[in-house]
Every structure is written in C-alpha cells, then in structure tokens.
Amino acid sequence: MSSPAASSPLTHFDAQGQAHMVDVAGKPATRRVAVATGVIEMRAETLALIESGSAKKGDVLGVARIAGIQAAKKTSDLVPLCHPLALTRVAVDFETAAAPVPHVRCTATVETVGPTGVEMEALTSVQVALLTVYDMCKAVDRGMAITGVRVLEKHGGKSGSWVAG
C-alpha cells in the first residue's frame, strides 16, 4: 500500500496515510470569515406556504435560521476532523424566488478569531438550515431537492481571501 508524500496537499492525512486532526497550535489567531450558500427547490405551492407563514409546523424560515446557527456551533461534533471553534458570529439569511424554479436560497456567514478557517461551519449551517426547511415542509412536498451547496468566499489566515468565480 502506497502512502501519500509528506508534502501532500491533503492536510488531514499524515505521512503514513493515516487520518489525523491537523495541528494548528503554531498558527496565528486571525479573523476568519466564510460564506456558503445552497438552494432547496420545491413546488410553487410549497414556496407560497413558506412565504405566507402558514405552514402547518409554523415559521419555516425562522426555525431554519436557528437550526443553521446551531449547526455551525456543532460542526466539530459532526465532522470528525474539524476543530471546535469559538465562533464570534453566525448569520443565516434566506431569499425566496419563484423562477426559474421555486426555491429558497440560504446563505450563511460564519466568523471567528482563531488559527483555522470556518468554511466547514458555513457549509454545515447551510445544509442543516435547508434540511430543516425540508423537514418542516415534507408533509406537503416530498420532492424538494437541496442543490448547489458551496463556499462562496473565505477570508483570513495564511492563504488570505478566496472568492468563487
């Protein structure tokens, strides 16, 4: 069995190819920001229920916002090699649109001051917020689809800023 070179770009593997948590002790604490987004597509009737606030389970986007915030805070419990981070800000926002396909877009912005980035926290926030929309609306629309979840931008640390093209 071959093992990755010590200079492998996959930082969660050691020289022997074993998974490990990256040592960030020597990295300086800097302000880190990540923004992620994703969409849940649905039927027009489902979107109308969400927008009117008349879904049977209540305020869908309000509950999804809280779920997204909680998810960002719990990312290290869900993703095995993520570091637990003291988050300084989590903002979860939603936009609805009827075209081209009825959908809700979720955007999460996560910030910390620390030695490692918050991309995983932003991605987890979006996924759980959209899963919550699904959970709250599945009784009327089991065909909803979560799509396009990705990092839009990240700032801070040695690699500086990155913005999706």
Side-chain angles (χ1 to χ4, degrees):
M1 176 173 165
S2 65
S3 60
S7 63
S8 170
L10 300 176
T11 58
H12 286 92
F13 293 98
D14 64 17
Q16 292 75 42
Q18 302 295 314
H20 73 102
M21 185 180 241
V22 175
D23 181 0
V24 298
K27 294 171 72 178
T30 62
R31 181 171 179 258
R32 314 287 185 128
V33 180
V35 180
T37 192
V39 168
I40 185 165
E41 297 175 347
M42 61 195 61
R43 295 187 339 229
E45 299 84 2
T46 308
L47 182 60
L49 280 173
I50 292 170
E51 290 177 327
S52 71
S54 60
K56 188 174 183 180
K57 291 187 177 182
D59 177 9
V60 173
L61 299 183
V63 173
R65 177 174 290 106
I66 297 301
I69 292 167
Q70 286 182 314
K73 296 182 336 183
K74 292 292 193 175
T75 299
S76 66
D77 292 337
L78 301 169
V79 181
L81 300 178
C82 279
H83 293 83
L85 300 175
L87 302 180
T88 57
R89 178 174 177 247
V90 180
V92 179
D93 298 304
F94 298 97
E95 297 173 22
T96 60
V101 174
H103 68 271
V104 173
R105 173 174 300 282
C106 177
T107 303
T109 303
V110 180
E111 299 184 27
T112 193
V113 175
T116 190
V118 287
E119 298 93 74
M120 294 305 299
E121 288 74 10
L123 288 165
T124 302
S125 177
V126 167
Q127 290 278 32
V128 172
L130 294 176
L131 285 169
T132 301
V133 172
Y134 186 95
D135 180 52
M136 293 187 73
C137 297
K138 69 182 183 271
V140 296
D141 188 354
R142 294 208 184 266
M144 292 176 285
I146 296 172
T147 184
V149 176
R150 65 190 186 116
V151 174
L152 292 177
E153 58 187 271
K154 61 82 62 187
H155 304 282
K158 186 171 79 173
S159 62
S161 292
W162 177 86
V163 177

